[in-house]
Each structure stands twice: as C-alpha cells, then as structure tokens.
Amino acid sequence: MGTFEELVAEGAAVPLEGWDFSWFEGRATEERPPWGYASLIAARLAVVSAALDLQTGGGEVTASAPVLPPRMAATESWPPNALVASRRLPLVVRAADAGPLPFRSSSFDLVISRHPVVTPWGEIARVLRSGGTYFSQQIGAGTNRELTDFMMGPQPVSPARSVEVARADAEAAGLEVLRLEPVSLRVEFFDVGAVVHFLRKVLWTVPGFTVEGYRDRLLDVHEHIQEHGAFVSTSTRFLVEARKPQRG
C-alpha cells in the first residue's frame, strides 16, 4: 500500500481505453449480477443470422462469445474504444450513442448492449426485424450513490435510469417487454487509487471529476479506507429483454 499521493498518481495514470476492469483486481470488487450476461448473449448470438452490439466499448464482452453470427456489427462513439473494438469484432462503426444508427430498417435479429450511456429505443425498434429482440444489461438509477454523495454531497437520484422509465420507453417505441429484472450489488474499494481510476472511467458517477478538483475529498476517502478497510458502495443493474412484435 502506497502513500496517498502515490496511490492517486497511480490511479490517474491508468489508460482508459476499452471496457476492461481487470486492473481493479485486488484493489476493488463488485458483485456480479446473478444472470450471467456474457453467457446469455453468447447463447443468443450463436442462433441468429445478424446482430448489432450498441456502444460496444472495446468489444470485450461480445468478442468473448464462442460463436458470432454471419453478420455481426457494433457501434462505438469514442474513437479510442472504437479502435480497440475493431481489433476484436468484424465491423465496428462510429455512431453517436443516442443515434441515429447507420443501418437500414429491419436489419438485425438481435440488438444487444451492455451498460449503454443512453438507449435509443426508437432506433432499436427500427433496425430490429419483425420478431427480433433487444437484450441488454443496464446501469440502474442511483448506482454507486454512496460514492457520488461522499464526493459531491447529497445528490438527487434521477429516474432516467429506472426500470419504470425503461419499460415505458420500450413500449412507446412499439416493443414488448419480456423481462425486466433489477438487482443491487455490493461494491468495495480497497485503496484510493482504485477510486480515482473508477471515477475517471465511469464518468457519470461524479460528473466533471478531476483529481485536482476533488483532492480534498479523495484524501477523506483515503482516510476512510485506512480506518475501515474499504469504501463500500452499492451498484444497481437491470436486465431488459424486449421484442419487436411479429408482423400480421
């Protein structure tokens, strides 16, 4: 365990490309959702002819599937991530997170996304074929609010990421919600360097975070971890599966 300054500097120096959290091993832990998202999408990718991965990050999750469909496409808005993903997946297209999607209507049997920044429900419904499915693991409302509140003071929890809003938006786009399952998960940070890297990588936790802007609060986090052994927070996730109705 280094000094406060050493740990902060270490967390600030970790590259941000991709969506790989292996750097946190031994420094932070997060419970996994019970459903096993990677296994669920692997099973679905193996049986469709055309699939789209929205906001793929570095393409890590989709590329882990043993079998990809004959037509496998992905979108990513951040150039460094798009470059990483293009090394793993056959077709990665730069596209804004909120759409529009650069694909023809009724192009895909399956659309997937893991932790999308936003969910463009109307565009998803447009590119899905009749009977096609959207399958996604999403970040829920108030995720890691303990860390947000510690750094920023008490903050209101926006309903934008709630399961209620997800259901309403999916149905408004003409999709039938088949599964909507929320879960709360324990998160533990074992050093302040892990907190720094997390806040740099997961930008919505503390919007506008910089080390210099939050140095005093980071010192408080460091002292809290020294006293209690960890900083404990709670992440929220939900699994959503929605289907485009069959024509006729």
Side-chain angles (χ1 to χ4, degrees):
M1 184 69 69
T3 66
F4 169 73
E5 295 294 343
E6 290 169 342
L7 292 168
V8 167
E10 187 176 359
V14 185
L16 297 176
E17 293 81 0
W19 205 239
D20 179 3
F21 282 72
S22 60
W23 181 87
F24 288 98
E25 185 173 351
R27 310 185 71 151
T29 62
E30 180 179 358
E31 284 185 282
R32 299 292 91 190
W35 45 73
Y37 179 73
S39 296
L40 292 176
I41 65 162
R44 286 159 172 77
L45 289 169
V47 297
V48 298
S49 62
L52 172 63
D53 179 12
L54 293 180
Q55 302 170 45
T56 189
E60 297 88 351
V61 177
T62 297
S64 70
V67 178
L68 295 179
R71 186 179 177 216
M72 181 74 236
T75 67
E76 175 55 38
S77 63
W78 193 43
N81 274 354
L83 180 62
V84 172
S86 68
R87 300 180 187 132
R88 295 186 170 113
L89 299 174
L91 175 64
V92 178
V93 179
R94 288 279 307 281
D97 294 334
L101 298 176
F103 304 101
R104 294 179 180 176
S105 299
S106 303
S107 293
F108 299 101
D109 307 300
L110 175 68
V111 177
I112 59 175
S113 59
R114 180 179 181 272
H115 302 170
V117 177
V118 295
T119 303
W121 289 104
E123 282 291 272
I124 290 167
R126 182 183 65 80
V127 301
L128 277 174
R129 293 171 178 163
S130 176
T133 300
Y134 175 61
F135 194 83
S136 176
Q137 179 175 296
Q138 305 229 352
I139 295 168
T143 192
N144 282 303
R145 64 177 302 178
E146 296 91 343
L147 181 56
T148 299
D149 289 352
F150 191 94
M151 299 297 292
M152 302 179 68
Q155 301 293 308
V157 175
S158 169
R161 291 186 176 273
S162 68
V163 293
E164 294 82 8
V165 168
R167 179 183 294 279
D169 288 350
E171 292 176 347
L175 301 177
E176 176 189 4
V177 177
L178 305 177
R179 182 177 181 183
L180 191 55
E181 183 178 341
V183 67
S184 296
L185 307 162
R186 183 180 176 89
V187 180
E188 294 181 286
F189 297 94
F190 301 119
D191 71 69
V192 71
V195 173
V196 169
H197 182 42
F198 182 84
L199 293 177
R200 292 173 60 233
K201 197 171 185 73
V202 187
L203 301 175
W204 53 81
T205 308
V206 177
F209 171 79
T210 64
V211 168
E212 289 308 316
Y214 284 89
R215 183 169 293 274
D216 290 346
R217 296 308 289 152
L218 290 171
L219 181 58
D220 291 338
V221 170
H222 177 66
E223 292 173 349
H224 177 95
I225 293 172
Q226 286 188 314
E227 180 178 354
H228 300 283
F231 185 95
V232 178
S233 191
T234 304
S235 67
T236 60
R237 301 285 183 270
F238 64 88
L239 192 71
V240 58
E241 183 175 10
R243 180 173 59 198
K244 187 173 183 177
Q246 291 277 1
R247 290 177 182 168

